[in-house]
mmCIF file of all heavy atoms in Angstrom:
data_model
loop_
_atom_site.group_PDB
_atom_site.id
_atom_site.type_symbol
_atom_site.label_atom_id
_atom_site.label_comp_id
_atom_site.label_asym_id
_atom_site.label_seq_id
_atom_site.Cartn_x
_atom_site.Cartn_y
_atom_site.Cartn_z
ATOM 1 N N PRO A 1227 -2.008 24.269 -20.813
ATOM 2 C CA PRO A 1227 -0.653 23.712 -20.722
ATOM 3 C C PRO A 1227 -0.284 22.804 -21.901
ATOM 4 O O PRO A 1227 0.848 22.853 -22.387
ATOM 5 C CB PRO A 1227 -0.666 22.909 -19.414
ATOM 6 C CG PRO A 1227 -1.802 23.446 -18.630
ATOM 7 C CD PRO A 1227 -2.804 23.956 -19.632
ATOM 8 N N MET A 1228 -1.230 22.004 -22.384
ATOM 9 C CA MET A 1228 -0.938 21.122 -23.523
ATOM 10 C C MET A 1228 -0.626 21.933 -24.779
ATOM 11 O O MET A 1228 0.285 21.593 -25.535
ATOM 12 C CB MET A 1228 -2.108 20.171 -23.795
ATOM 13 C CG MET A 1228 -2.194 19.012 -22.836
ATOM 14 S SD MET A 1228 -0.703 17.987 -22.872
ATOM 15 C CE MET A 1228 -0.863 17.233 -24.474
ATOM 16 N N SER A 1229 -1.374 23.009 -25.000
ATOM 17 C CA SER A 1229 -1.128 23.857 -26.170
ATOM 18 C C SER A 1229 0.274 24.448 -26.118
ATOM 19 O O SER A 1229 0.967 24.523 -27.132
ATOM 20 C CB SER A 1229 -2.146 24.997 -26.239
ATOM 21 O OG SER A 1229 -3.424 24.497 -26.494
ATOM 22 N N ARG A 1230 0.694 24.858 -24.946
ATOM 23 C CA ARG A 1230 2.023 25.454 -24.819
ATOM 24 C C ARG A 1230 3.124 24.437 -25.096
ATOM 25 O O ARG A 1230 4.123 24.762 -25.729
ATOM 26 C CB ARG A 1230 2.183 26.091 -23.448
ATOM 27 C CG ARG A 1230 1.369 27.371 -23.357
ATOM 28 C CD ARG A 1230 1.564 28.064 -22.052
ATOM 29 N NE ARG A 1230 0.911 29.354 -22.094
ATOM 30 C CZ ARG A 1230 1.466 30.463 -21.668
ATOM 31 N NH1 ARG A 1230 2.683 30.462 -21.180
ATOM 32 N NH2 ARG A 1230 0.809 31.590 -21.722
ATOM 33 N N TRP A 1231 2.956 23.213 -24.630
ATOM 34 C CA TRP A 1231 3.950 22.170 -24.933
ATOM 35 C C TRP A 1231 3.941 21.852 -26.423
ATOM 36 O O TRP A 1231 4.991 21.685 -27.042
ATOM 37 C CB TRP A 1231 3.701 20.899 -24.111
ATOM 38 C CG TRP A 1231 4.166 21.021 -22.683
ATOM 39 C CD1 TRP A 1231 3.382 21.175 -21.579
ATOM 40 C CD2 TRP A 1231 5.520 21.009 -22.209
ATOM 41 N NE1 TRP A 1231 4.158 21.268 -20.453
ATOM 42 C CE2 TRP A 1231 5.478 21.163 -20.808
ATOM 43 C CE3 TRP A 1231 6.760 20.893 -22.833
ATOM 44 C CZ2 TRP A 1231 6.625 21.202 -20.016
ATOM 45 C CZ3 TRP A 1231 7.905 20.928 -22.048
ATOM 46 C CH2 TRP A 1231 7.833 21.078 -20.660
ATOM 47 N N MET A 1232 2.755 21.790 -27.014
ATOM 48 C CA MET A 1232 2.652 21.492 -28.447
ATOM 49 C C MET A 1232 3.237 22.628 -29.284
ATOM 50 O O MET A 1232 3.775 22.399 -30.366
ATOM 51 C CB MET A 1232 1.199 21.223 -28.830
ATOM 52 C CG MET A 1232 0.679 19.921 -28.249
ATOM 53 S SD MET A 1232 -1.055 19.646 -28.581
ATOM 54 C CE MET A 1232 -0.993 19.276 -30.318
ATOM 55 N N GLY A 1233 3.147 23.856 -28.777
ATOM 56 C CA GLY A 1233 3.707 25.005 -29.478
ATOM 57 C C GLY A 1233 5.200 24.860 -29.732
ATOM 58 O O GLY A 1233 5.723 25.375 -30.726
ATOM 59 N N LEU A 1234 5.885 24.150 -28.842
ATOM 60 C CA LEU A 1234 7.324 23.926 -29.014
ATOM 61 C C LEU A 1234 7.630 23.092 -30.257
ATOM 62 O O LEU A 1234 8.730 23.168 -30.804
ATOM 63 C CB LEU A 1234 7.910 23.225 -27.784
ATOM 64 C CG LEU A 1234 7.903 24.003 -26.483
ATOM 65 C CD1 LEU A 1234 8.422 23.133 -25.345
ATOM 66 C CD2 LEU A 1234 8.731 25.279 -26.609
ATOM 67 N N MET A 1235 6.668 22.294 -30.694
ATOM 68 C CA MET A 1235 6.898 21.386 -31.820
ATOM 69 C C MET A 1235 6.298 21.895 -33.132
ATOM 70 O O MET A 1235 6.446 21.256 -34.163
ATOM 71 C CB MET A 1235 6.322 20.010 -31.484
ATOM 72 C CG MET A 1235 7.029 19.372 -30.299
ATOM 73 S SD MET A 1235 6.315 17.805 -29.825
ATOM 74 C CE MET A 1235 4.964 18.359 -28.796
ATOM 75 N N MET A 1236 5.637 23.037 -33.093
ATOM 76 C CA MET A 1236 4.918 23.526 -34.270
ATOM 77 C C MET A 1236 5.850 23.763 -35.458
ATOM 78 O O MET A 1236 5.501 23.426 -36.592
ATOM 79 C CB MET A 1236 4.168 24.815 -33.926
ATOM 80 C CG MET A 1236 3.137 25.170 -34.957
ATOM 81 S SD MET A 1236 1.851 23.927 -35.129
ATOM 82 C CE MET A 1236 0.797 24.368 -33.786
ATOM 83 N N ASP A 1237 7.035 24.316 -35.230
ATOM 84 C CA ASP A 1237 7.945 24.565 -36.345
ATOM 85 C C ASP A 1237 8.311 23.250 -37.034
ATOM 86 O O ASP A 1237 8.349 23.174 -38.257
ATOM 87 C CB ASP A 1237 9.212 25.285 -35.874
ATOM 88 C CG ASP A 1237 10.056 25.755 -37.035
ATOM 89 O OD1 ASP A 1237 9.700 26.783 -37.633
ATOM 90 O OD2 ASP A 1237 11.056 25.080 -37.357
ATOM 91 N N ARG A 1238 8.558 22.225 -36.262
ATOM 92 C CA ARG A 1238 8.902 20.911 -36.813
ATOM 93 C C ARG A 1238 7.714 20.323 -37.578
ATOM 94 O O ARG A 1238 7.878 19.699 -38.616
ATOM 95 C CB ARG A 1238 9.321 19.978 -35.678
ATOM 96 C CG ARG A 1238 9.933 18.692 -36.151
ATOM 97 C CD ARG A 1238 10.495 17.853 -35.017
ATOM 98 N NE ARG A 1238 11.222 18.660 -34.047
ATOM 99 C CZ ARG A 1238 11.104 18.540 -32.720
ATOM 100 N NH1 ARG A 1238 10.288 17.639 -32.213
ATOM 101 N NH2 ARG A 1238 11.795 19.293 -31.918
ATOM 102 N N TRP A 1239 6.504 20.518 -37.056
ATOM 103 C CA TRP A 1239 5.305 19.955 -37.684
ATOM 104 C C TRP A 1239 4.909 20.688 -38.956
ATOM 105 O O TRP A 1239 4.521 20.082 -39.946
ATOM 106 C CB TRP A 1239 4.133 19.971 -36.727
ATOM 107 C CG TRP A 1239 4.219 18.997 -35.593
ATOM 108 C CD1 TRP A 1239 5.011 17.891 -35.521
ATOM 109 C CD2 TRP A 1239 3.505 19.046 -34.373
ATOM 110 N NE1 TRP A 1239 4.826 17.251 -34.327
ATOM 111 C CE2 TRP A 1239 3.894 17.944 -33.596
ATOM 112 C CE3 TRP A 1239 2.569 19.919 -33.846
ATOM 113 C CZ2 TRP A 1239 3.381 17.683 -32.337
ATOM 114 C CZ3 TRP A 1239 2.057 19.663 -32.596
ATOM 115 C CH2 TRP A 1239 2.460 18.553 -31.852
ATOM 116 N N VAL A 1240 4.955 22.019 -38.933
ATOM 117 C CA VAL A 1240 4.425 22.822 -40.027
ATOM 118 C C VAL A 1240 5.519 23.290 -40.990
ATOM 119 O O VAL A 1240 5.263 23.466 -42.176
ATOM 120 C CB VAL A 1240 3.648 24.042 -39.466
ATOM 121 C CG1 VAL A 1240 3.133 24.937 -40.571
ATOM 122 C CG2 VAL A 1240 2.508 23.581 -38.581
ATOM 123 N N GLY A 1241 6.729 23.479 -40.497
ATOM 124 C CA GLY A 1241 7.808 24.021 -41.318
ATOM 125 C C GLY A 1241 8.045 23.251 -42.608
ATOM 126 O O GLY A 1241 8.189 23.849 -43.682
ATOM 127 N N GLY A 1242 8.089 21.939 -42.528
ATOM 128 C CA GLY A 1242 8.302 21.123 -43.729
ATOM 129 C C GLY A 1242 7.180 21.282 -44.731
ATOM 130 O O GLY A 1242 7.417 21.310 -45.949
ATOM 131 N N ASP A 1243 5.955 21.399 -44.241
ATOM 132 C CA ASP A 1243 4.808 21.611 -45.140
ATOM 133 C C ASP A 1243 4.924 22.965 -45.839
ATOM 134 O O ASP A 1243 4.650 23.080 -47.032
ATOM 135 C CB ASP A 1243 3.495 21.550 -44.362
ATOM 136 C CG ASP A 1243 3.170 20.157 -43.867
ATOM 137 O OD1 ASP A 1243 3.649 19.174 -44.472
ATOM 138 O OD2 ASP A 1243 2.445 20.044 -42.860
ATOM 139 N N TYR A 1244 5.330 23.995 -45.099
ATOM 140 C CA TYR A 1244 5.504 25.316 -45.700
ATOM 141 C C TYR A 1244 6.597 25.272 -46.763
ATOM 142 O O TYR A 1244 6.460 25.881 -47.822
ATOM 143 C CB TYR A 1244 5.830 26.353 -44.626
ATOM 144 C CG TYR A 1244 4.609 26.948 -43.951
ATOM 145 C CD1 TYR A 1244 3.425 26.241 -43.838
ATOM 146 C CD2 TYR A 1244 4.644 28.229 -43.440
ATOM 147 C CE1 TYR A 1244 2.316 26.789 -43.233
ATOM 148 C CE2 TYR A 1244 3.539 28.787 -42.829
ATOM 149 C CZ TYR A 1244 2.382 28.069 -42.727
ATOM 150 O OH TYR A 1244 1.284 28.639 -42.135
ATOM 151 N N GLU A 1245 7.677 24.556 -46.497
ATOM 152 C CA GLU A 1245 8.752 24.438 -47.487
ATOM 153 C C GLU A 1245 8.250 23.745 -48.754
ATOM 154 O O GLU A 1245 8.520 24.217 -49.868
ATOM 155 C CB GLU A 1245 9.935 23.669 -46.897
ATOM 156 C CG GLU A 1245 10.679 24.457 -45.835
ATOM 157 C CD GLU A 1245 11.664 23.621 -45.036
ATOM 158 O OE1 GLU A 1245 11.957 22.467 -45.419
ATOM 159 O OE2 GLU A 1245 12.148 24.140 -44.008
ATOM 160 N N ARG A 1246 7.498 22.638 -48.592
ATOM 161 C CA ARG A 1246 6.942 21.932 -49.757
ATOM 162 C C ARG A 1246 5.967 22.817 -50.522
ATOM 163 O O ARG A 1246 5.977 22.859 -51.758
ATOM 164 C CB ARG A 1246 6.247 20.639 -49.330
ATOM 165 C CG ARG A 1246 7.191 19.462 -49.175
ATOM 166 C CD ARG A 1246 6.465 18.159 -48.916
ATOM 167 N NE ARG A 1246 5.688 18.149 -47.682
ATOM 168 C CZ ARG A 1246 6.213 18.043 -46.459
ATOM 169 N NH1 ARG A 1246 7.503 17.922 -46.315
ATOM 170 N NH2 ARG A 1246 5.451 18.039 -45.392
ATOM 171 N N GLY A 1247 5.120 23.523 -49.795
ATOM 172 C CA GLY A 1247 4.160 24.415 -50.453
ATOM 173 C C GLY A 1247 4.851 25.517 -51.242
ATOM 174 O O GLY A 1247 4.468 25.809 -52.380
#
Side-chain angles (χ1 to χ4, degrees):
M1228 283 300 290
S1229 293
R1230 287 183 172 226
W1231 283 106
M1232 291 176 72
L1234 294 176
M1235 296 177 277
M1236 195 62 82
D1237 190 78
R1238 191 173 317 136
W1239 289 341
V1240 177
D1243 291 335
Y1244 274 28
E1245 290 168 12
R1246 276 187 298 285

